[in-house]
Amino acid sequence: MTTYDIALIGFGGVNRTLAELVATRGDELSRELGFGLRVVAITDLRLGSLVRDGGIDMDMALRINPADETFAAHGGSADPDNERVIRTCAADIICEATFTNPATGEPAASHVRWALEAGKSVCTTNKGPVALHGAELTGLAQRNGLHFEFEGAVMSGTPVIRFARQLFPGLNLNGFEGILNGTSNYVLGRMEEGLGFEESVREAQQRGYAEADPTADIDGHDVQLKVLIMANELLGAGLRLADVQRQGISALTPGDLSRAKNEGRRWKLVGSARRNPDGTVSASVAPAALPLDHGLAGVSRANNAVSFNTDLLGPVTVSGPGAGRVETAYALLSDIIAMHGARNQVAADA
Ligand code: HSE
């Protein structure tokens, strides 16, 4: 059976959960999927780096508390040394789940670039590298015969990007509209129930939905990146971040929400893109008071949904979780499964 050696870049909630899945469900997954996974390197800002060509003892790695010690106490280094580890470790696949600056895509974009230059495929949950450097990194992967997968960048493990790519050949995708940020959706829902804005944001943070800086959720930056990814990857739009108009929810008051409720409407933060008659694509993020029978009006709490506008099927909607450790770790697993499927397909075609 094939075993893929993987490196975990960033050992926070998402990659830790992937490691837990490998440790606890590895045998079951191998039986079901036809391949095994072995972690051969981990890097982390707080823990440092640990590289073991023969495989890292995951129980040991998961027991280490970053508040108490680093990998230096376990035969590794206190220095993450990301570039050296990514370029030189024995991994076939780099699972990238670090912090990213949404304005530059760094350092995640460099992590992806180093891996692809060194002959390693990449899956990432980071929006920055895909939104800001997607064409360059996809081109680099293709030129080097590698995979660059990023299902978790939009709606965590809920299959949106791969779903659209696989389902829609043969028809025209004219655009999409979606609720793509769980935090803002949760906040709007709680405010509609009568809770204050600050308290609603705090709750979203406590529940782990919000970005490290929740203004990215509230002001629409997070959705702007996701709209950019979907517009470029699914509509071939060739847009830049500044081309996606952005307005968040911070100007909405409890009064706006209750007025809308009385009128049979509900405020949602909607990210959308549409193909214009001249072939160009317009994209935006803005709050909208949707009628209650609108397909997105019933998407509640931290859930996400995207409705694709197709010519032959009309609207096709996918809904599911858009955030969460387990949900996002599953996105990485689904990326690896997709890479395995593509590899088998190439072997079958040869
Ligand atoms: N903070 C995001 C959200 C999750 O609330 O949807 C990751 O994109």
Side-chain angles (χ1 to χ4, degrees), residues 125 127 152-156 180-185 204 208-212 216-217 222-223 226 302 304 322-324 328:
T125 57
K127 295 173 279 285
V154 179
M155 281 177 66
S156 67
L180 298 167
N181 182 269
T183 301
S184 53
N185 203 50
Y209 307 139
E211 298 292 295
D217 299 293
D222 178 68
V223 180
K226 291 167 179 169
N304 284 194
T328 311

Side-chain angles (χ1 to χ4, degrees), residues 8-326:
L8 307 178
I9 307 304
F11 203 48
V14 172
N15 265 341
R16 257 176 199 272
T17 306
L18 180 64
E20 280 163 11
L21 280 175
V22 172
T24 58
R25 296 180 56 184
D27 291 344
E28 188 187 329
L29 291 172
S30 304
R31 273 196 304 279
E32 190 190 336
L33 305 171
F35 66 84
L37 293 173
R38 180 170 63 172
V39 179
V40 295
I42 305 175
T43 69
D44 184 78
L45 206 56
R46 295 164 307 165
L47 287 165
S49 53
L50 185 62
V51 179
R52 290 274 181 281
D53 286 358
I56 292 171
D57 173 353
M58 290 317 301
D59 289 338
M60 176 277 289
L62 286 164
R63 269 198 310 272
I64 301 175
N65 180 349
D68 297 337
E69 53 182 345
T70 70
F71 285 137
H74 298 267
S77 163
D79 179 358
D81 208 356
N82 281 309
E83 181 165 8
R84 186 187 61 77
V85 173
I86 290 170
R87 287 193 188 275
T88 63
C89 75
D92 306 297
I93 300 169
I94 300 290
C95 302
E96 206 285 336
T98 62
F99 169 77
T100 312
N101 177 335
T104 63
E106 296 294 354
S110 290
H111 298 160
V112 175
R113 202 174 288 116
W114 295 332
L116 296 172
E117 286 169 357
K120 295 163 173 106
S121 288
V122 180
C123 47
T124 184
T125 57
N126 261 313
K127 295 173 279 285
V130 193
L132 305 175
H133 307 279
E136 173 219 330
L137 296 172
T138 300
L140 181 58
Q142 282 168 354
R143 282 196 302 283
N144 292 352
L146 299 164
H147 300 279
F148 174 44
E149 298 287 339
F150 41 81
E151 187 62 62
V154 179
M155 281 177 66
S156 67
T158 304
V160 176
I161 295 170
R162 208 167 287 119
F163 169 85
R165 283 188 175 147
Q166 288 171 0
L167 191 71
F168 296 151
L171 50 70
N172 290 317
L173 181 58
N174 295 323
F176 60 82
E177 59 177 356
I179 291 173
L180 298 167
N181 182 269
T183 301
S184 53
N185 203 50
Y186 182 85
V187 167
L188 289 173
R190 291 296 279 144
M191 284 174 70
E192 197 182 290
E193 287 162 10
L195 206 68
F197 178 78
E198 305 290 343
E199 211 175 335
S200 304
V201 173
R202 237 189 335 273
E203 267 193 19
Q205 283 180 297
Q206 281 158 3
R207 288 166 178 259
Y209 307 139
E211 298 292 295
D213 174 2
T215 52
D217 299 293
I218 299 303
D219 288 347
H221 291 281
D222 178 68
V223 180
Q224 190 184 30
L225 289 171
K226 291 167 179 169
V227 166
L228 183 61
I229 291 171
M230 290 208 293
N232 286 347
E233 298 297 328
L234 303 178
L235 297 174
L239 299 181
R240 290 160 307 142
L241 191 61
D243 298 324
V244 182
Q245 291 168 32
R246 176 187 57 80
Q247 193 190 334
I249 62 166
S250 50
L252 288 176
T253 63
D256 293 327
L257 294 169
S258 63
R259 253 189 314 282
K261 195 172 175 179
N262 293 338
E263 291 166 4
R265 290 180 173 266
R266 183 170 285 148
W267 282 98
K268 294 288 181 190
L269 183 62
V270 178
S272 63
R274 67 164 193 283
R275 197 180 298 287
N276 301 312
D278 66 358
T280 59
V281 172
S282 303
S284 65
V285 181
L290 303 177
L292 292 183
D293 61 359
H294 187 287
L296 298 178
V299 178
S300 62
R301 314 295 280 189
N303 285 320
N304 284 194
V306 61
S307 184
F308 293 103
N309 172 13
T310 73
D311 62 345
L312 300 183
L313 295 174
V316 178
T317 303
V318 184
S319 71
R325 274 182 324 115
V326 176

